[in-house]
Amino acid sequence: MTEGTTSAAAEGADTLTRLEQEGEIAADYLEGLLDIADLDGDIDMDVEADRAAVSIISDAGSRDLQKLVGRDGEVLEALQELTRLAVHRETGDRSRLMLDIAGYRAKKRTELSELGAKAAAEVKNTGEAVKLKPMTPFERKVVHDAVKAAGLRSESEGEEPERFVVVLPA
C-alpha cells in the first residue's frame, strides 16, 4: 500500500471507531440529562446501519422515561436533535445518531413496517397508488424500507411537517 492511501478495512475500522465515539459522547450527554431530570435509566450503545444508536432503558418500568418520549415521540425527536448537536460540538462532524427511549422507536419501527407492508399489499391488489398520513423523516424511512422489501417503490411528497409517503404500483 502506498503512502496516503487507506485500505477499505482500515477505513471501515475508522468509521466504526468514529461511530463508537459518537455513542460515547451521546451517552455522557444523556447521562447528564438524566441526572438533571432525576430520572433512572441505563444507556445502551450500538452501531446499526452505519450510524450510532443509543437507547435509554429502565428496569423500574418506563413510566418515568415516557416523559422523555412525549406525545407521539415529540420530546424524543427533540432530545435526539439536542444529542446530535452535543456530538457535533465535540467532534465537529454532523451526526446521524439514532436515539430510542423506553423502546418507543423500536415498537414504532415494527408498527410502521407492518403499515408499509399492508399498503404495499393494497397497491398490489388494486393497482392504485396509496397515500399515507404525514410522518416524521424517521417514520417515512421505515415505511420506504418496508415497501421496498415488498418489491414496490414509494416516494415522499409534500412539505414538512405534512410530508407523507405515497406507495406506487410496480
Side-chain angles (χ1 to χ4, degrees):
M1 190 161 55
T2 61
E3 198 172 312
T5 62
T6 60
S7 70
E11 199 171 286
D14 289 347
T15 299
L16 188 60
T17 303
R18 183 179 53 78
L19 293 176
E20 289 170 343
Q21 179 189 18
E22 282 187 21
E24 291 288 337
I25 294 166
D28 290 345
Y29 176 78
L30 291 166
E31 282 176 4
L33 181 83
L34 289 173
D35 287 345
I36 290 168
D38 196 27
L39 296 172
D40 288 327
D42 295 321
I43 310 288
D44 184 38
M45 294 177 294
D46 201 0
V47 174
E48 298 172 2
D50 295 333
R51 65 170 61 184
V54 179
S55 300
I56 301 175
I57 52 179
S58 174
D59 293 335
S62 57
R63 190 181 328 264
D64 280 351
L65 292 182
Q66 289 305 316
K67 297 172 187 171
L68 298 180
V69 173
R71 185 172 46 99
D72 297 327
E74 290 173 339
V75 176
L76 170 59
E77 289 290 332
L79 288 173
Q80 177 175 277
E81 286 306 309
L82 289 172
T83 305
R84 286 176 174 177
L85 286 171
V87 170
H88 177 74
R89 185 184 67 223
E90 291 289 321
T91 65
D93 295 326
R94 186 176 176 276
S95 174
R96 295 177 52 237
L97 175 132
M98 287 295 291
L99 174 63
D100 193 5
I101 299 174
Y104 175 84
R105 221 181 267 282
K107 180 180 171 206
K108 192 79 169 168
R109 182 177 279 121
T110 300
E111 292 170 359
L112 290 164
S113 292
E114 291 170 3
L115 175 67
K118 185 177 169 185
E122 183 180 335
V123 169
K124 284 179 180 178
N125 287 339
T126 66
E128 300 287 323
V130 171
K131 291 181 181 181
L132 301 175
K133 66 177 180 53
M135 299 178 190
T136 67
F138 161 76
E139 293 168 334
R140 291 193 310 270
K141 169 81 169 90
V142 173
V143 172
H144 285 305
D145 290 348
V147 169
K148 184 177 179 182
L152 292 180
R153 57 188 193 90
S154 56
E155 297 174 350
S156 290
E157 294 183 4
E159 298 294 321
E160 295 293 353
E162 296 298 315
R163 204 155 162 78
F164 59 94
V165 173
V166 179
V167 182
L168 303 164

